Amino acid sequence: MFTTLLLSLLLPSAHAASDIEFKTAGPVIITVDGEQAALTSKLKQRAGGLAPGAHVVKVSGVFGKTLYEAEIDLPDGTITQAEWSGRELKVLSTDWLPDEVDEDAVAVLDAPEPEPEPEPEPEPEPEELADVDPDTLPVPEIEPVEEVPLALPYEDHATALAPPSAPSAARTLTVQAQEGMRVEIVFEGQRMYVVVEDGGFAIEDPQGLKLALSGGS
């Protein structure tokens, strides 16, 4: 189906490119003169930079089936709003595109004026020194400095070495053991365990190896 949609609007010629924006009710593929429109949001597509005049708009499903085809006449320097409702393409409005703004000119206008440099403060004039008679100035008193010998006399003192202290007697820690008890002994980071089982003692290392001291197997 080929339908011709003519926008007969009395708009003056601006010699500028035109845009057309499509609003869709679902996911479809829209092409203008064979070029796919850009997806701007989930349900909006846009084709820009179009020359004024007639353009072929084609709506296809996601699997490529042609759903609608029409010809739209675009005035120059405008943006046209169209809507795909699922069965037909409706032209909602056509408005002028905003004039392009010279960014360099805006930057010059927005630039703040330079603040004037502060004037330097005048340097204070040096005060004139009054004439002073050196004979009238007070003379500070200088205290004598005691002489310090360059080297101190050496005195030979016999240093008695204290005899090494005898090691302290070993202390005994008594634990009342019961069947099934496990006693952990730690010395300088090393660990061992004394296990009471089967009516006797067994020594166990951290790897689980046991050495039975007495009692049944």
Side-chain angles (χ1 to χ4, degrees), residues 165-169:
S165 58
S168 59

Side-chain angles (χ1 to χ4, degrees), residues 41-59:
S41 65
K42 187 176 181 181
L43 298 177
K44 283 188 178 182
Q45 302 181 38
R46 187 185 183 107
L50 302 174
H55 296 274
V56 178
V57 178
K58 183 178 179 181
V59 181

Side-chain angles (χ1 to χ4, degrees), residues 81-131:
Q81 302 288 339
E83 181 180 12
W84 169 251
S85 61
R87 297 192 311 178
E88 60 179 345
L89 186 67
K90 298 180 181 179
V91 176
L92 303 178
S93 63
T94 300
D95 301 312
W96 292 107
L97 282 172
D99 296 335
E100 295 183 358
V101 179
D102 189 352
E103 295 182 357
D104 295 336
V106 173
V108 172
L109 293 176
D110 294 341
E113 296 182 358
E115 297 181 358
E117 297 182 359
E119 298 181 357
E121 298 181 358
E123 297 181 358
E125 297 181 358
E127 298 180 358
E128 295 183 358
L129 299 177
D131 296 335

Side-chain angles (χ1 to χ4, degrees), residues 4-211:
T4 303
L5 301 177
L6 297 179
L7 303 178
S8 55
L9 302 176
L10 299 178
L11 298 175
S13 176
H15 304 288
S18 299
D19 297 348
I20 182 169
E21 188 172 62
F22 303 94
K23 182 180 179 182
T24 63
V28 292
I29 299 173
I30 299 178
T31 59
V32 179
D33 298 334
E35 296 290 335
Q36 185 173 346
L39 188 66
T40 58
S41 65
K42 187 176 181 181
L43 298 177
K44 283 188 178 182
Q45 302 181 38
R46 187 185 183 107
L50 302 174
H55 296 274
V56 178
V57 178
K58 183 178 179 181
V59 181
S60 304
V62 293
F63 297 105
K65 181 181 178 180
T66 300
L67 305 177
Y68 187 83
E69 191 171 357
E71 186 177 278
I72 296 181
D73 189 19
L74 300 179
D76 56 348
T78 59
I79 178 171
T80 298
Q81 302 288 339
E83 181 180 12
W84 169 251
S85 61
R87 297 192 311 178
E88 60 179 345
L89 186 67
K90 298 180 181 179
V91 176
L92 303 178
S93 63
T94 300
D95 301 312
W96 292 107
L97 282 172
D99 296 335
E100 295 183 358
V101 179
D102 189 352
E103 295 182 357
D104 295 336
V106 173
V108 172
L109 293 176
D110 294 341
E113 296 182 358
E115 297 181 358
E117 297 182 359
E119 298 181 357
E121 298 181 358
E123 297 181 358
E125 297 181 358
E127 298 180 358
E128 295 183 358
L129 299 177
D131 296 335
V132 178
D133 186 359
D135 296 334
T136 61
L137 294 176
V139 179
E141 296 182 359
I142 300 175
E143 297 181 358
V145 179
E146 297 181 358
E147 294 184 359
V148 179
L150 298 178
L152 297 176
Y154 173 75
E155 295 181 2
D156 187 6
H157 295 281
T159 304
L161 298 177
S165 58
S168 59
R171 292 177 295 177
T172 302
L173 176 63
T174 302
V175 178
Q176 185 65 38
Q178 298 178 3
E179 180 69 23
M181 181 177 290
R182 181 184 178 92
V183 180
E184 180 182 13
I185 302 174
V186 180
F187 176 70
E188 294 184 354
Q190 301 180 0
R191 298 174 183 268
M192 64 174 294
Y193 306 93
V194 178
V195 183
V196 181
E197 59 183 0
D198 298 333
F201 294 96
I203 298 177
E204 180 181 344
D205 63 3
Q207 286 73 29
L209 298 178
K210 291 183 180 181
L211 175 61

